Structures are given as C-alpha cells and as structure tokens.
Amino acid sequence: MSTVSGQRLADSRKDSEARTYSRVAWRIVPLLFLCYVVSYLDRVNVGFAKLQMLNDLRFSESVYGLGAGIFFLGYFFFEIPSNLIMYRVGARKWIARIMITWGVVSAAMMFVTTPTMFYVMRLLLGVAEAGFFPGMILYLTYWFPAERRGGMTALFMTGIPLSGVIGGPVSGWILQSVSGALGLAGWQWLFVLEGIPSIIVGLLVLALLDDRIADARWLAPEEKAMLQERIDNDEAEKGHASALQAFGSAKVWLLALIYFCLIMGLYGVSFWLPTIIKGLGVKDTTSVGFLYAIPYVLATIAMILVGRSADAYKERRWHIAVPCVLGAAGLIASVTFGTSPVLAVAALSLGTVGILSAIPLFWSCPTAFLGGAAAAGGIALINSVGNLAGFASPYMVGLIKDWTHSTDVGMYVLAGCLMIAAVLVVAGLPARLVNK
C-alpha cells in the first residue's frame, strides 16, 4: 500500500470515528444535561424560596444555612452505596429511580412549617439524590475515553449554570406571580412546580437511556466495536483495584480534599447569590432572578471553552488551577465593589465563571486513573467527602451573616478555599493525566 493510500485510509478512519463520537454525544449528552439541570435546580431553589419562606416561617439566617446544607449529610452517607448499586444494576434503572424519588421529595417541601421539618425534608432530599452525580460521571466513562471526556464532562455540567439561567428568572417569576394561588405561598408553589420536571425526566431516562455500548440499538456493529475498543484501551491503562482499595488511595483522598475546597466556593455562591443580589438594593424578585442568571450565562460559555481547550492541549492541571484563582479574585472583588451593583455583579460573575470552569476538568482527573469497581467507589468517595462542603459552606455563611449582618467575611473564606484548591492541584497532581 502506498504512503498516500495509507494516509487516506487513516484519515477515513479518523473521520468515521469523529462522526461516531459526535453521534454518541448528541444521543446521550443532551439527556444527561437535562437530568443535571433539573437536579441542580431542585438542589438550590431553596435559595430563592428563602426570599419569602424565612419571613413566613420566622426562620433565622443560620436555620436556613443549616437546612440548605443538611442536604449534603444525606448525600454523604448514601453516596457510595448508591453508586455501587448503579455499577451492579445499570445506569438506566438507578438514575431513573433517583430522579423520581427526589422529585417527589422536592415537591413535598411545600409542607414545611418548622425548622425540624425543614431539616428532615432537606436531609431526605439528599438521601434521594445520593449517587446521581457520581453515577453520571461513571456513566460517561462507559462511552468516552479519557482524551475525549473533558469536553463531554464540561458539556454535561453546563447543566449547573444553565439551571441558573433558566431557574433564576423562572423562580423569581413564580415567587412574584403565583403567590397566593389556591391559598399557597409563592415559595410553596416554587417547590411543587420545580419538583414535577424531575419526575417527568426520570421517566424519560427509563425509556431512552442505554446502560452500555453493547445495548445501543441505534449504533451499527462496527461502530460498537470501535467504541468498545477505545474504552478497552483506555481501561487497560487504569488501575483495577476494588472499591475498598480505592478508599485507601492517597491520590483519591487528595482529590477529595481539592473537591471539598471547590464545593465550598460553588455552594457558598449558589445558595447565597439571590440574598447577595437582594442586598445590593434589588427588591423585586423577578429582577433578582434575571440578575442571578447573568453569572451563569457567562459560566456556560466559559465551561465549554475551557473544556475544549483542555482536550485540545491534553492538559488538566493548569486548566483547573487558573480558574480557581480567577474564582477567588472574583469573590474578593465582589466584597471590594459591594457598594456598586454593576461592579458587584460583574465580580460575582467572574467568581462563578472561575468556580464552574474548574469543576468539570477536575472530574476528568479521577476517571483518568480509576477503573471498574474502583472507579465506582472512588468517584463516589470523592464526591461524598467533597460535598460535605455543601453542608459546611451555606451553614458557615449563614452563621457569619447572623453574627456580622454581612456576607463579606464569608466571601473571603470561600476565596481562601479556592486558592487552597489551586495550590493542591498544582503541587499534588501529575503534570500529565491524559496521554499525548
């Protein structure tokens, strides 16, 4: 075979592979994305409900902070068992079960009347959702090899900012326009109307999601063979320890600590952003919703661009560390320019962009060296330990706000956590996590 013919054959195979991966991405990523949008919306809509329910139910800021964060205790204790169950029974049934049960619990938040009921319902919501996110990350490893996973993870995780883009204005509108209908407060309608989509999407998952490549009837046999070969080659380079061995890995615990610092920033902003915007002098809840959406619009664009850049350069470490530093700078600037609504929202946008750009690339790190049961257990461990920050962060900011009547000190603490994450990433992770 001539050199020219060989090159043409190689180019043809490369084009065929690109088309197949594009087809796979269009088939599964939009559904995963939709799942994540409604997941994140149900997790943080309590930040908007707070604008009314604290006055209606006479809750303090620290009661809200504890209730917002206690979700993650349920998440922590049930995360690892849930992900191991998904590894055994398959993603389709288990993710559908997760979504339907958390939709029911989220809608039932309308019945809350006391702090104890608030704590219990948030705890149950965490139990219901446990395993969802690490299950999604594990599921992507069944379809995409490491060198393609950064961009796919970023696309999937744009569900976080887009839930803000969609949920902010919608939540603000519900609070203002539906309040009083059928004798229910706006915050009660908020939980009901934003819980129902999770149940519907859970049923879609049951109908449309394929557990693995072999189950995809929409792929030709040669396409399945090519995809499986890429996954097999990727898996051969990973450690295939048991879940228990993954729990004893120093690298896994380092990643858990880094993720803890990232989540401190994420949920400190997510749960308190409506309150911070309202504190800038914006009283109308619909306006709060639209301003809340601005940082998330910018973060959506940044996540996609950073993910593509990381895959193009096959680099992870600096694509995580630099956004962490930018996120910290944005949170500090939001305090510095707190007297100017325009500059404060711009600073909060930079903080949100930095935090959300780092997280998808972070998740391409553990999946680069964990496989099999070790991946199921290790990913769940990292996510559950990291998400303890989801408990600590809003509760800490709530306590600080009760003590100082300001969120400024809380923003400084969150910025410090992001800087710690940046240092740990640069100092602790290997320079090369993806094969050149």
Side-chain angles (χ1 to χ4, degrees):
M1 181 183 296
S2 68
T3 302
V4 174
S5 298
Q7 185 60 47
R8 286 176 179 171
L9 181 59
D11 289 343
S12 176
R13 288 175 177 171
K14 188 175 181 179
D15 290 343
S16 176
E17 181 175 329
R19 286 194 299 271
T20 301
Y21 274 113
S22 177
R23 188 178 176 196
V24 170
W26 279 106
R27 173 76 184 204
I28 68 174
V29 173
L31 181 57
L32 300 187
F33 165 81
L34 182 60
C35 292
Y36 203 39
V37 167
V38 296
S39 145
Y40 199 77
L41 186 62
D42 282 344
R43 185 182 298 189
V44 303
N45 60 8
V46 69
F48 271 92
K50 170 186 181 289
L51 300 179
Q52 288 184 354
M53 70 185 297
L54 261 65
N55 288 332
D56 288 356
L57 303 180
R58 295 181 173 86
F59 289 175
S60 69
E61 299 285 352
S62 52
V63 166
Y64 162 73
L66 178 58
I70 209 168
F71 165 96
F72 294 97
L73 292 183
Y75 208 80
F76 173 77
F77 287 111
F78 289 88
E79 182 94 318
I80 294 172
S82 179
N83 217 36
L84 292 175
I85 291 172
M86 195 199 90
Y87 179 69
R88 298 285 185 181
V89 306
R92 184 178 66 88
K93 292 178 182 178
W94 197 244
I95 290 174
R97 191 284 304 164
I98 288 172
M99 297 193 68
I100 292 168
T101 53
W102 100 53
V104 170
V105 174
S106 182
M109 286 283 294
M110 66 174 288
F111 297 112
V112 167
T113 56
T114 67
T116 300
M117 289 179 68
F118 182 44
Y119 300 151
V120 169
M121 292 306 294
R122 288 290 295 177
L123 182 68
L124 289 177
L125 185 63
V127 171
E129 194 183 317
F132 170 77
F133 179 75
M136 290 289 198
I137 295 297
L138 181 64
Y139 184 72
L140 287 173
T141 69
Y142 297 163
W143 294 86
F144 298 99
E147 69 269 15
R148 293 181 179 270
R149 206 175 300 134
M152 290 301 105
T153 304
L155 281 174
F156 154 62
M157 291 190 68
T158 54
I160 294 179
L162 281 177
S163 70
V165 174
I166 298 166
V170 169
S171 297
W173 178 84
I174 290 172
L175 289 177
Q176 185 163 315
S177 302
V178 189
S179 183
L182 300 179
L184 298 177
W187 63 267
Q188 291 175 302
W189 277 114
L190 180 67
F191 287 124
V192 172
L193 294 178
E194 293 185 354
I196 291 172
S198 297
I199 300 171
I200 295 172
V201 176
L203 295 173
L204 283 176
V205 167
L206 202 58
L208 300 176
L209 201 67
D210 295 300
D211 283 327
R212 291 182 180 269
I213 293 169
D215 301 322
R217 288 177 290 181
W218 43 275
L219 286 171
E222 60 273 15
E223 291 174 323
K224 291 183 184 181
M226 183 275 295
L227 292 170
Q228 193 61 55
E229 181 184 359
R230 299 294 181 273
I231 295 299
D232 291 343
N233 291 340
D234 198 50
E235 291 290 307
E237 298 174 2
K238 301 177 182 179
H240 283 269
S242 67
L244 287 176
Q245 287 172 309
F247 299 160
S249 166
K251 193 180 293 185
V252 168
W253 284 100
L254 171 64
L255 289 168
L257 179 58
I258 294 169
Y259 195 53
F260 182 92
C261 293
L262 290 173
I263 294 300
M264 283 293 290
L266 175 64
Y267 287 116
V269 171
S270 297
F271 284 124
W272 287 95
L273 191 54
T275 301
I276 293 169
I277 292 172
K278 190 174 182 180
L280 296 173
V282 183
K283 302 303 180 186
D284 178 75
T285 56
T286 302
S287 298
V288 171
F290 279 105
L291 288 173
Y292 177 90
I294 292 173
Y296 291 104
V297 170
L298 298 175
T300 302
I301 298 168
M303 287 172 73
I304 294 171
L305 294 178
V306 173
R308 286 180 177 176
S309 173
D311 278 353
Y313 287 99
K314 298 193 183 328
E315 199 283 327
R316 298 291 184 255
R317 197 169 54 166
W318 291 105
H319 281 83
I320 300 170
V322 171
C324 285
V325 173
L326 292 176
L331 296 185
I332 293 171
S334 73
V335 175
T336 305
F337 302 115
T339 56
S340 167
V342 173
L343 292 178
V345 170
L348 287 169
S349 297
L350 177 62
T352 305
V353 164
I355 295 166
L356 288 174
S357 296
I359 291 176
L361 272 301
F362 167 84
W363 278 113
S364 64
C365 297
T367 56
F369 69 89
L370 291 172
I379 291 169
L381 175 66
I382 293 165
N383 195 56
S384 59
V385 172
N387 269 294
L388 285 177
F391 170 75
S393 184
Y395 187 36
M396 176 204 71
V397 177
L399 287 174
I400 289 172
K401 193 169 190 296
D402 273 343
W403 293 338
T404 66
H405 306 291
S406 170
T407 57
D408 290 359
V409 176
M411 292 301 104
Y412 287 134
V413 174
L414 299 180
C417 290
L418 293 174
M419 290 302 298
I420 292 171
V423 171
L424 291 175
V425 166
V426 174
L429 296 184
R432 199 182 82 175
L433 280 163
V434 181
N435 289 331
K436 297 289 186 181

